[in-house]
Amino acid sequence: MIIDYRSFIQDNFFIKNKDGVLVPFIFNEVQNLVYEEWKKDYGEELQGIRENDLKGRQFGISSMIEGVFATDFILSELGHLPIIDSDVYSHIDKETKAHTDRFNLFLDSYLMQDQGASAEDMLTAEGLEARSAFRKSFLKTDNGNYIESNKGALYHSQTASAKVSGRGGTKQNIHWTEPAFYPNTDILNAKELMSGAEKQVPLGKGKIFRESTGKTRADYFGQEYYKGKEGRGRFKSRFLAWYLHPEYQLTPPEGWVRPEYYAQLPATDAQCYWHYTETDGLNDKIQLREYPTYDHEAFIAGGEAFFGQNALLAAINKITDPIKKGEYVQALQTA
């Protein structure tokens, strides 16, 4: 079944803007770009999605994925889709709650708009009472971050830990948020948690999103990102540079000249000046990781290196593909 997720989300969901005001969820430029790439890579049905998404902060990718999962949940309860089971994993409890709250807002806004309510009605005393009543009529279980519809559609938001590493049963949707920052210990590591849970989603079906800022290339998300970038495995790797987001701009002072670093970027002077100030003149490696221009910046900024960051960036930029690849096997002789 072909679902126009973008239209459904924009027609039915409210979201809080940066001022904390409820507004219709209209895709921004980055969300529209990513949605079009999804359709190109996975077809109109958006099935079999396997994504490693490396991005900067506050692009709204998590909100868009949450909207897709909420759409699946609603359409499943309405009988337009088979029963959907979706899991969302966050790296800290605070983010788990944020995802749960956002899903609940999407569900409530659909239920309210279905009865002709507006964004302004959502927070009135009457609106809050109506939201509660509509949820009771739509849901079988409404227990914090575990939500089940009357027909059995499931949404579960959890903090990544050994206790939630499911391996049995079948899932349709999994969203890993900030997996680069998952625990990495003898008891729990991202590879065991993620690879085990992902086996629950049938091959070529459903949607699995690994969506994160970078940390180090040596961690599981870093390894998987480059694996997908090189075309190895089932996951596609997608990098979203900071300058794709037009909101990131600041009028530069008169006489400001772009550093050479920005010379080849398809960005305005105002965008470049915003990034220049945000990264403390390109010296704040944490902010360079949070708002990378090139994908390797998202990983090189993690940890402390023996060589300086500028030297490492310069060396990485000189790397080219080999002229020819070959495999050599040497036989060892023993006496």
Side-chain angles (χ1 to χ4, degrees):
M1 177 181 177
I2 296 176
I3 300 170
D4 186 346
Y5 286 97
R6 177 167 48 193
S7 293
F8 190 92
I9 290 168
Q10 294 185 150
D11 290 345
N12 294 285
F13 295 164
F14 298 132
I15 193 168
K16 285 186 178 180
N17 64 16
K18 292 182 179 180
D19 295 322
V21 178
L22 287 181
V23 295
F25 187 170
I26 304 300
F27 280 16
N28 63 33
E29 289 192 32
V30 180
Q31 290 165 336
N32 276 316
L33 171 66
V34 172
Y35 189 78
E36 289 301 321
E37 290 185 352
W38 286 353
K39 291 198 299 180
K40 180 182 69 175
D41 291 339
Y42 302 105
E44 293 286 341
E45 292 188 0
L46 296 185
Q47 282 293 308
I49 291 180
R50 301 294 185 270
E51 287 275 307
N52 295 314
D53 292 336
L54 175 64
K55 43 76 176 179
R57 290 289 182 190
Q58 299 179 336
F59 278 9
I61 304 303
S62 285
S63 296
M64 180 170 63
I65 296 171
E66 202 81 49
V68 169
F69 284 14
T71 300
D72 280 346
F73 182 90
I74 292 166
L75 294 182
S76 179
E77 171 60 19
L78 296 178
H80 301 304
L81 288 176
I83 300 302
I84 295 292
D85 190 342
S86 301
D87 277 351
V88 177
Y89 294 86
S90 304
H91 66 301
I92 56 176
D93 291 339
K94 178 182 178 181
E95 291 302 317
T96 299
K97 183 179 185 306
H99 282 284
T100 302
D101 290 347
R102 191 181 301 125
F103 177 88
N104 282 325
L105 175 59
F106 292 161
L107 177 59
D108 286 1
S109 55
Y110 165 78
L111 294 173
M112 290 287 283
Q113 287 199 88
D114 190 50
Q115 300 299 316
S118 66
E120 291 74 18
D121 297 323
M122 293 281 289
L123 300 178
T124 65
E126 295 82 2
L128 292 172
E129 185 177 351
R131 287 166 67 175
S132 177
F134 292 150
R135 289 178 72 90
K136 288 179 181 178
S137 67
F138 200 80
L139 302 176
K140 180 191 301 182
T141 305
D142 194 0
N143 184 19
N145 60 349
Y146 183 87
I147 302 169
E148 182 180 6
S149 75
N150 287 324
K151 291 183 179 178
L154 291 171
Y155 171 86
H156 196 189
S157 180
Q158 310 163 76
T159 303
S161 70
K163 295 180 181 179
V164 299
S165 181
R167 290 176 180 269
T170 300
K171 303 283 183 183
Q172 285 70 47
N173 297 327
I174 296 179
H175 179 195
W176 306 102
T177 70
E178 300 296 339
F181 297 87
Y182 286 1
N184 188 22
T185 67
D186 292 337
I187 298 174
L188 172 69
N189 62 70
K191 181 177 181 179
E192 289 187 5
L193 170 65
M194 296 170 67
S195 60
E198 287 172 355
K199 287 181 172 60
Q200 297 173 105
V201 182
L203 187 65
K205 302 292 184 181
K207 309 172 186 69
I208 303 177
F209 296 96
R210 303 164 173 169
E211 172 248 343
S212 188
T213 47
K215 188 177 181 184
T216 71
R217 185 165 177 168
D219 64 32
Y220 183 62
F221 178 74
Q223 293 172 11
E224 288 293 294
Y225 172 79
Y226 278 98
K227 182 178 176 181
K229 182 179 178 180
E230 294 162 6
R232 297 182 290 117
R234 296 191 298 271
F235 281 77
K236 296 181 184 295
S237 291
R238 200 178 308 279
F239 172 62
L240 302 172
W242 63 268
Y243 55 81
L244 294 175
H245 201 354
E247 291 184 16
Y248 292 156
Q249 54 182 303
L250 182 65
T251 302
E254 186 175 352
W256 185 77
V257 179
R258 288 193 194 198
E260 182 65 23
Y261 174 91
Y262 300 107
Q264 303 301 318
L265 293 190
T268 65
D269 284 347
Q271 287 179 289
C272 294
Y273 185 67
W274 174 89
H275 185 260
Y276 187 75
T277 57
E278 195 72 19
T279 60
D280 190 20
L282 302 176
N283 290 310
D284 188 334
K285 68 180 183 178
I286 300 300
Q287 292 301 95
L288 283 168
R289 182 182 72 192
E290 301 289 285
Y291 302 101
T293 303
Y294 307 101
D295 57 1
H296 55 253
E297 288 180 320
F299 300 108
I300 202 171
E304 296 293 332
F306 178 78
F307 295 102
Q309 182 177 327
N310 290 337
L312 286 170
L313 286 174
I316 290 173
N317 287 331
K318 293 179 181 179
I319 295 175
T320 59
D321 291 333
I323 298 174
K324 185 177 181 181
K325 294 182 180 180
E327 185 175 310
Y328 298 89
V329 179
Q330 180 178 1
L332 296 179
Q333 292 183 339
T334 59

